[in-house]
Amino acid sequence: MEKLVITGGTTLTGEVSIMGAKNSAIAILPATLLCKGICTLNNVPNIIDVNLSCQILEQLGSKITWVGPNSLTIDNTNIYNTHAPLDLTSKFRASYYLIGAMLSRCKEIEVGLPGGCNLGARPIDQHIKAFEALGATANCSQGKINVSTNKLIGSNIYMDVVSVGATINALLASVFAEGTTTIDNAAKEPHIVDVANFLNALGADIRGAGTDLIKVNGVQELRNSVTYSIVPDQIEAGTFMLAAIASKGDILIKNCIPEHLDPLTSKILEIGGNVEICADTIHVWCKNRVNKTVVKTLPYPGFPTDLQPQIGVVLSMANGTSIINESIWDSRFQYTAELNKMGANITAQGKSAIFEGVEKLYGAPVFATDLRAGAALVIAGIVAEGTTEIFNLKHIDRGYENIEKKFASLGAKIERVVEK
Ligand code: EPU
């Protein structure tokens, strides 16, 4: 078993470059199934969820070659298997994208019910609603989903909840659907736009991605090759922005899209931190203890739920009492119990938590309860007095490439240790 051991009390300074977006990459990888030739993807994060996606695609017939540390080619000329490996697909959430992509490619697919972080109930009713609207039949039983169709026909899909996954799946399934599909109340996250840009680069006709009404005019075929670069990961960038604030540090974050971080930038300025934007870099620094605030997570362009635990660390040490209301996930405050072990004073109840700001955190053994909780604990360990050990690294490695190397390059005393 591996653990991260952090000797805290560090002020982070320096430059860091942002990887390609996890939540784009794990959608664009299955989206390549719509191309009957070779796709070259650049800026691909080398993380567990991407490696899992590649392993699953290979079992369907894809030939994948890493041609650089963050570049790969996928040859999908010969897709022969419509049964995705249940053990792998149930390990993470994004396996549900195989459904939309394989419906378009082969008109049928069987996958295991998606896994992923335990953030409370994670239904997929809106995905199923979209597939059925397009003319597919779905059956869920014994931990598997079978979806098939004779023909996909364009339709008007209204999402009852704003869902990133269902919006992307509806896009994937509608590219070849006869006629026009509209997706109303669509999610607007940068990775929705990225998936649409990728599909359009292949010749799809998708308009309005990034707004709440997306229109897809069905096409008969796509190009046989494309080279595409995945957008920078706004959550990794936000994690470093908040690490700069929590450690009263000074970090230049390179290779990011600052507009994707507007809600976080506003919050940082509001609590007394400093942010300077220049082209694709964000400079963040802070000298003093930050002020209390209220945060409510919302779909993009609201404050991202995937940065909620990281800002929780900042607010646990703010001057005064802060409140976070989590509106996306039922169970995203598990990290607060771990932060309390480090001296924080947080009371979480249901989807709200009250943060009584303390002056200092203290090192302790803690467990990453999910991906972003893990990132938050890394920040907490870096600023805490004394030594922090973080266990359960499988969550962190699903979504952050070289997390300890990147923080170490900013001055953190952090190492990965194999526990005997
Ligand atoms: N929902 C439904 N029915 C559905 C789908 C979603 O009720 O059919 C609800 C969910 O229960 C939730 C809300 O709608 O309350 C939003 O869920 P969404 O579908 O947007 O989430 P997701 O696609 O499963 C993605 C990211 C998450 C991120 C959320 C919200 C991936 C693989 N995951 O999940 O990322 O928190 O969007 O932005 O893209 C992470 O990276 O740490 C992570 C958890």
Side-chain angles (χ1 to χ4, degrees):
M1 192 179 47
E2 290 182 332
K3 63 181 177 182
L4 286 175
V5 179
I6 306 173
T7 307
T10 304
T11 296
L12 296 172
T13 55
E15 296 181 4
V16 67
S17 185
I18 295 307
M19 67 177 193
K22 160 189 167 271
N23 288 342
S24 269
I26 57 182
I28 288 177
L29 281 162
T32 64
L33 286 165
L34 276 70
C35 169
K36 290 189 173 155
I38 300 178
C39 298
T40 302
L41 298 180
N42 296 319
N43 209 27
V44 182
N46 198 339
I47 52 176
I48 286 180
D49 276 7
V50 162
N51 290 318
L52 268 174
S53 301
C54 290
Q55 284 175 46
I56 295 168
L57 288 170
E58 281 171 336
Q59 296 211 17
L60 302 182
S62 307
K63 291 197 171 62
I64 302 181
T65 313
W66 285 87
V67 292
N70 295 102
S71 296
L72 50 79
T73 59
I74 307 186
D75 181 349
N76 285 334
T77 311
N78 187 17
I79 298 298
Y80 50 80
N81 185 4
T82 57
H83 286 56
L86 300 183
D87 54 332
L88 295 181
T89 49
S90 53
K91 273 192 182 155
F92 75 136
R93 195 79 201 146
S95 49
Y96 51 37
Y97 293 135
L98 289 170
I99 308 176
M102 284 294 278
L103 269 182
S104 275
R105 174 70 188 248
C106 296
K107 297 203 167 51
E108 62 172 313
I109 178 69
E110 178 185 281
V111 293
L113 279 172
C117 288
N118 176 13
L119 308 173
R122 298 186 77 171
I124 57 164
D125 55 304
Q126 298 304 304
H127 302 239
I128 304 287
K129 175 179 167 175
F131 300 138
E132 290 180 342
L134 294 166
T137 309
N139 284 306
C140 300
S141 69
Q142 298 177 317
K144 299 182 283 198
I145 316 172
N146 282 280
V147 190
S148 60
T149 184
N150 291 326
K151 188 176 183 181
L152 292 163
I153 300 177
S155 178
N156 298 327
I157 303 166
Y158 182 87
M159 297 288 173
D160 299 319
V161 291
V162 177
S163 160
V164 170
T167 301
I168 291 178
N169 246 335
L171 276 181
L172 293 171
S174 59
V175 167
F176 297 129
E178 189 178 289
T180 298
T181 298
T182 55
I183 307 167
D184 205 347
N185 201 23
K188 296 181 278 215
E189 270 69 4
H191 29 297
I192 308 281
V193 179
D194 208 27
V195 174
N197 285 344
F198 168 75
L199 292 168
N200 283 343
L202 272 170
D205 184 356
I206 301 169
R207 297 159 195 221
T211 75
D212 48 23
L213 181 62
I214 302 178
K215 193 169 157 188
V216 185
N217 293 313
V219 295
Q220 291 195 336
E221 54 182 12
L222 295 180
R223 293 190 184 96
N224 282 334
S225 74
V226 73
T227 298
Y228 191 80
S229 192
I230 288 167
V231 283
D233 193 305
Q234 98 256 32
I235 303 301
E236 192 202 23
T239 300
F240 284 108
M241 289 170 76
L242 288 162
I245 300 298
S247 70
K248 300 199 181 85
D250 186 328
I251 303 182
L252 188 68
I253 297 155
K254 293 162 56 174
N255 181 38
C256 59
I257 300 179
E259 307 88 80
H260 292 170
L261 288 142
D262 281 351
L264 175 60
T265 297
S266 304
K267 211 29 102 177
I268 288 178
L269 294 174
E270 181 191 314
I271 60 179
N274 303 287
V275 181
E276 205 171 65
I277 287 165
C278 181
D280 65 349
T281 62
I282 307 181
H283 178 196
V284 185
W285 73 102
C286 182
K287 290 200 164 49
N288 304 313
R289 191 174 180 196
V290 296
N291 297 318
K292 64 180 179 171
T293 190
V294 175
V295 173
K296 179 170 183 169
T297 65
L298 287 169
Y300 189 83
F303 191 94
T305 174
D306 294 345
L307 289 172
Q308 188 262 97
Q310 299 90 317
I311 201 165
V313 174
V314 169
L315 298 183
S316 73
M317 294 176 292
N319 201 352
T321 303
S322 300
I323 296 174
I324 299 184
N325 295 308
E326 168 61 49
S327 75
I328 311 290
W329 299 117
D330 290 336
S331 187
R332 205 161 205 176
F333 284 120
Q334 297 169 66
Y335 71 95
T336 58
E338 304 302 303
L339 277 188
N340 284 347
K341 291 181 193 164
M342 300 178 73
N345 182 359
I346 309 166
T347 310
Q349 196 168 34
K351 290 168 82 170
S352 295
I354 299 170
F355 294 68
E356 304 284 355
V358 296
E359 295 228 4
K360 252 188 195 181
L361 297 177
Y362 298 90
V366 287
F367 290 81
T369 48
D370 60 67
L371 168 59
R372 307 303 172 186
L377 292 174
V378 170
I379 299 174
I382 288 168
V383 302
E385 189 178 300
T387 302
T388 295
E389 291 174 304
I390 305 178
F391 298 91
N392 235 1
L393 302 188
K394 62 175 195 234
H395 288 301
I396 301 178
D397 295 337
R398 283 190 32 229
Y400 289 88
E401 184 181 276
N402 291 332
I403 193 165
E404 69 270 27
K405 284 198 186 119
K406 284 190 170 178
F407 275 113
S409 76
L410 297 168
K413 297 183 190 71
I414 176 170
E415 59 175 343
R416 190 176 287 250
V417 173
V418 179
E419 277 250 293
K420 295 201 179 101

